[in-house]
Amino acid sequence: MPLDILVGAQWGDEGKGRITDRLSAQADIVARYSGGDNAGHSVTVGARLFKLHLIPSGILHPRTRAVLGNGMVIHPGTLLDEIGSLAAAGVDVGPQRLLLAPGAHIITPAHRALDGAEEALRGGSSLGTTGRGIGPAYTDKAARLGVRAEAMRDPPAFAEAVRRHEERLARLLESHYGCAAPDPGESARLYREYAERLRPHLAETGALLAEALAAGQTILAEGAQGTLLDLDHGTYPYVTSSSPSAAGALLGLGLGPRHVRRVIGVAKAFQTRVGAGPFPTEVHGQMSERLRGTGANPWDEFGTTTGRPRRVGWLDGVLLRYAARVNGLTDLALTKLDILSGIPTLLLCSAYRRHDRRTADLTGTPAELEGFTPDYESLDGWDADVSRLQSWESLPAGAHAYLEHVEQIAGVPIRWISVGPERDQLIVHEGAA
Ligand code: IMP
């Protein structure tokens, strides 16, 4: 009855979708547990690129069911769009395969308007949110003012709840932010239609997941965002409003810790971040263009959800070690190793310096990162194209040295290495300790 939890070990966009895609081939259920359509997974299957924001990429495997957990915030319009595009591509997204937790919260038009209004009010110190209404939806959840997915069981009553909710937020938007608010009546009409279409997907997911575990099935909990964006353990206030780290999976699905078999952290072979906030190993200039790519390829470092160019930098081992601690990682998956091919000297941050003192572990919280400078180790790179390699043994010596160093710093074995965007461009490191 195993539960495997897959989390982002950095600031999101680590390439979790690909690893989930591989692992979900052996899972009976793949469940998203936190966040909303601020996330974006790109999964390439054959010639087709799927961009998913809410639905776990595991849905692409015919025998795997997908769950949207109670820890999520759902924009019903986005969900229906994804259902529509997957269905058009021949993927079965019927109510038996795609299950929505009643306790998930609903994102409304006023939430999105508030997200933008709050960012505008912050001006130069804005967080760089995705503008999807995530923060305001979780704010209402915590304030016990939110509308939950379960209300969609009765579409007219749901529409009425949405209307009242939108009227309250309209007053806030107009009086506090001085903004025009979305029309509550219009939102109510639209959301009633959404409820009619989504209610067949509502299911008692907590009980269903527990029964699946009891029956010996495998569940993969699919994280969105990343540990350093965690509301409690990330670089606050430059974080998202949910709990992407491993503990969030239990809360966001309604399962206890005794079921956990593995906690898999996904990290890029380098470091990226979108939005504002500290980033000790950030690089600029030529090297940043090298790591980011030009945007010509879908896997270049431009946001899946917002299209924004991502900030890029060298791999931060101190933060990776921190992510290993916060999540209790048992395994690592390192993605985009192929991007490092051809860089003569690779830098790897194994410690920080502050006032001439060296520290290999994060002291204080990641929110205090601003005062630290990275202490780099230089490693020889490799020239060979690794993107078609299929085994750990065939990787060049420079790549072995790099990977082994990362394992040593993180204190966690690297079990998967992705070397390209295709499904099969994934090396399984069988001999990982
Ligand atoms: P929010 O989640 O839209 O409120 O955005 C808060 C912060 O988290 C911003 O810096 C976003 O850029 C970042 N963020 C949210 N979701 C993702 C994601 O899926 N990948 C990377 N960054 C994200």
Side-chain angles (χ1 to χ4, degrees):
M1 44 171 219
L3 170 67
D4 293 338
I5 303 175
L6 182 133
V7 297
Q10 296 165 322
W11 277 295
D13 305 322
E14 298 91 351
K16 294 180 290 294
R18 325 224 11 236
I19 308 295
T20 318
D21 179 51
R22 171 62 69 103
L23 295 180
S24 51
Q26 291 120 41
D28 298 284
I29 300 178
V30 182
R32 265 260 328 250
Y33 57 84
S34 76
D37 58 353
N38 48 346
H41 289 327
S42 313
V43 187
T44 318
V45 184
R48 213 175 220 140
L49 179 78
F50 290 93
K51 288 195 174 188
L52 300 174
H53 299 282
L54 288 170
I55 300 180
S57 43
I59 194 96
L60 299 173
H61 292 281
R63 77 172 193 96
T64 311
R65 285 188 294 168
V67 165
L68 303 173
N70 60 278
M72 292 187 71
V73 284
I74 304 289
H75 188 276
T78 307
L79 182 54
L80 284 164
D81 284 349
E82 285 184 20
I83 291 174
S85 63
L86 286 167
V91 180
D92 175 7
V93 267
Q96 302 306 315
R97 286 200 71 216
L98 179 64
L99 308 149
L100 174 59
H105 277 247
I106 297 295
I107 298 181
T108 67
H111 284 143
R112 288 202 168 165
L114 270 174
D115 198 350
E118 180 60 35
E119 283 282 271
L121 199 69
R122 286 175 189 256
S125 49
S126 71
L127 305 177
T129 72
T130 59
R132 301 296 158 115
I134 306 298
Y138 279 114
T139 300
D140 276 343
K141 173 179 175 176
R144 295 153 296 178
L145 290 167
V147 180
R148 301 192 345 152
E150 64 191 342
M152 292 196 292
R153 288 196 178 112
D154 181 345
F158 175 69
E160 183 50 26
V162 168
R163 191 183 55 75
R164 280 199 310 274
H165 181 269
E166 296 297 89
E167 282 171 354
R168 180 180 61 80
L169 292 187
R171 286 194 290 277
L172 181 63
L173 274 161
E174 284 157 6
S175 64
H176 180 65
Y177 294 96
C179 291
D183 175 16
E186 186 49 41
S187 300
R189 269 190 299 282
L190 185 64
Y191 274 58
R192 179 178 173 154
E193 202 185 302
Y194 288 157
E196 299 281 5
R197 294 168 63 195
L198 284 176
R199 68 176 165 167
H201 292 275
L202 287 167
E204 294 304 326
T205 53
L208 188 140
L209 292 169
E211 279 161 23
L213 288 169
Q217 295 194 353
T218 299
I219 297 174
L220 178 67
E222 173 181 330
Q225 289 82 46
T227 308
L228 302 170
L229 290 174
D230 187 280
L231 181 59
D232 287 84
H233 302 291
T235 48
Y236 192 91
Y238 300 100
V239 293
T240 189
S241 298
S242 65
S243 307
S245 55
L250 304 178
L251 206 56
L253 296 176
L255 295 170
R258 80 186 167 97
H259 302 291
V260 180
R261 174 175 63 177
R262 294 190 298 193
V263 185
I264 301 142
V266 185
K268 254 176 220 167
F270 47 101
Q271 199 88 16
T272 66
R273 164 163 219 175
V274 278
F279 185 168
T281 60
E282 184 167 14
V283 296
H284 300 280
Q286 254 185 343
M287 186 50 74
S288 73
E289 284 160 28
R290 174 70 180 70
L291 292 172
R292 182 182 301 115
T294 58
N297 300 310
W299 55 88
D300 286 346
E301 297 297 345
F302 292 79
T304 319
T305 300
T306 60
R308 290 180 287 181
R310 295 180 186 140
R311 299 159 65 193
V312 293
W314 299 112
L315 184 64
D316 190 326
V318 179
L319 292 181
L320 192 57
R321 209 172 148 90
Y322 172 76
R325 160 156 76 81
V326 167
N327 295 298
L329 296 183
T330 57
D331 307 87
L332 265 176
L334 212 72
T335 60
K336 296 189 89 169
L337 186 73
D338 52 308
I339 302 298
L340 299 185
S341 288
I343 300 177
T345 305
L346 300 170
L347 300 187
L348 183 52
C349 170
S350 54
Y352 289 156
R353 278 194 186 279
R354 184 181 210 174
H355 307 307
D356 276 344
R357 275 196 48 216
R358 189 175 185 277
T359 165
D361 281 310
L362 193 65
T363 52
T365 70
E368 296 165 67
L369 281 179
E370 299 282 13
F372 291 100
T373 50
D375 203 22
Y376 287 115
E377 291 181 44
S378 302
L379 282 87
D380 289 338
W382 60 92
D383 279 329
D385 173 12
V386 295
S387 64
R388 292 289 152 203
L389 301 181
Q390 293 281 312
S391 68
W392 171 270
E393 290 71 27
S394 58
L395 285 167
H400 280 154
Y402 187 77
L403 295 167
E404 280 161 11
H405 216 71
V406 174
E407 283 185 325
Q408 191 201 333
I409 293 171
V412 182
I414 298 175
R415 228 168 269 285
W416 299 272
I417 302 123
S418 92
V419 290
E422 300 292 333
R423 246 185 187 173
D424 61 352
Q425 288 177 292
L426 188 71
I427 295 174
V428 184
H429 183 197
E430 306 285 1

